[in-house]
Amino acid sequence: MNIIKPLLAGAIFFFLAIYFTFYFNPTHALGTFLSSPFNMSTELSNNGIYYNLYLPTILIVMIGLYLKNFNKAFARKCSLRAIFLISILASYIKSIGSMIYYRGYADYGISLGTSIITLCFLAAFIISLEVYIGQKEHTMHLYGHFLFSILTVLVIVLAALMFLSFFTTSSFLVHLMGLLAFIIVFVPFYERHNIRLFFKEEEDKIAKVLKEAHQNASINK
């Protein structure tokens, strides 16, 4: 069983959260922004350290153990490193959204905490379950067409959420923006092989049509 990488992912998350929460003291907006995916300083009351540090660390290790050892189909398409990096990127996007949402209140309007990274790992786990969908081969020919429609909808939803953030007061929208940012970046990465295959099939279709048109033009001459 491969346990080193899942444990390493959990350890990296744990120690980064500890460092940026208790030992990193930013004095300007950039420092706060850079620490935002792992900075729990606003979440330490009411057992916040358990929900923002210990529980996420356990979840990352458990999901990592499952993905590395019991879901080989997912592991061939995506690594724990990729999930981790994309989740950090999504957290930064969420922080940018929160700066718009809070419009410069406490901590420069930057949303701090580890919730987005935790949600991203849970989202990756849910996405990984698609390998168990029964009779998936009967719908694979539609997959490429639906994929781009889904991504387009997600982009529109993300833009709408950023617009709504000017008129609402719920942090739910900020967290949802981070989760959607992860999905928008992660899904194309995860399905990059199918995307390349889709474009290749479309190119072949166009080439076939052009070839037939050229042949028909030659015959007509």
Side-chain angles (χ1 to χ4, degrees):
M1 177 179 288
N2 188 336
I3 64 173
I4 295 177
K5 290 184 178 180
L7 289 176
L8 182 61
I12 291 173
F13 171 85
F14 184 89
F15 287 111
L16 285 176
I18 292 293
Y19 172 75
F20 283 114
T21 301
F22 298 105
Y23 299 100
F24 184 76
N25 297 309
T27 58
H28 47 77
L30 179 60
T32 303
F33 176 79
L34 292 176
S35 69
S36 61
F38 302 98
N39 193 328
M40 304 177 297
S41 58
T42 60
E43 306 290 342
L44 296 179
S45 60
N46 298 322
N47 296 321
I49 194 169
Y50 293 101
Y51 299 115
N52 290 275
L53 180 63
Y54 298 127
L55 181 59
T57 299
I58 293 171
L59 283 174
I60 288 172
V61 173
M62 291 179 63
I63 291 173
L65 287 171
Y66 164 74
L67 296 178
K68 294 297 293 184
N69 297 283
F70 302 103
N71 196 327
K72 299 297 184 182
F74 182 92
R76 286 193 295 268
K77 298 170 69 174
C78 182
S79 65
L80 289 178
R81 184 191 299 110
I83 299 173
F84 210 143
L85 293 176
I86 296 174
S87 68
I88 293 173
L89 174 61
S91 184
Y92 282 129
I93 294 173
K94 178 263 298 186
S95 290
I96 293 173
S98 72
M99 284 188 283
I100 299 173
Y101 170 71
Y102 290 114
R103 294 188 289 276
Y105 292 142
D107 295 319
Y108 312 100
I110 300 171
S111 181
L112 305 178
T114 60
S115 56
I116 294 301
I117 293 178
T118 308
L119 288 173
C120 291
F121 268 85
L122 289 171
F125 170 72
I126 293 172
I127 291 172
S128 74
L129 299 180
E130 58 91 16
V131 300
Y132 299 115
I133 296 175
Q135 298 183 337
K136 188 173 61 174
E137 65 275 5
H138 296 303
T139 58
M140 286 295 287
H141 65 286
L142 300 174
Y143 198 72
H145 299 283
F146 285 136
L147 177 62
F148 289 99
S149 298
I150 292 171
L151 291 177
T152 301
V153 170
L154 286 174
V155 171
I156 294 173
V157 169
L158 181 61
L161 286 171
M162 292 183 69
F163 176 77
L164 289 173
S165 68
F166 284 101
F167 305 102
T168 59
T169 58
S170 173
S171 61
F172 171 77
L173 288 176
V174 174
H175 287 82
L176 189 57
M177 278 192 287
L179 183 59
L180 287 176
F182 173 80
I183 294 173
I184 291 171
V185 177
F186 179 78
V187 170
F189 174 80
Y190 180 69
E191 294 296 349
R192 59 194 181 280
H193 173 73
N194 286 331
I195 291 174
R196 286 195 297 265
L197 182 62
F198 171 76
F199 278 119
K200 186 177 184 304
E201 290 176 349
E202 293 300 312
E203 289 175 357
D204 291 342
K205 290 178 182 178
I206 294 173
K208 183 178 179 181
V209 170
L210 292 176
K211 182 178 179 181
E212 291 176 351
H214 179 72
Q215 289 175 345
N216 292 333
S218 300
I219 293 173
N220 292 335
K221 288 181 180 181

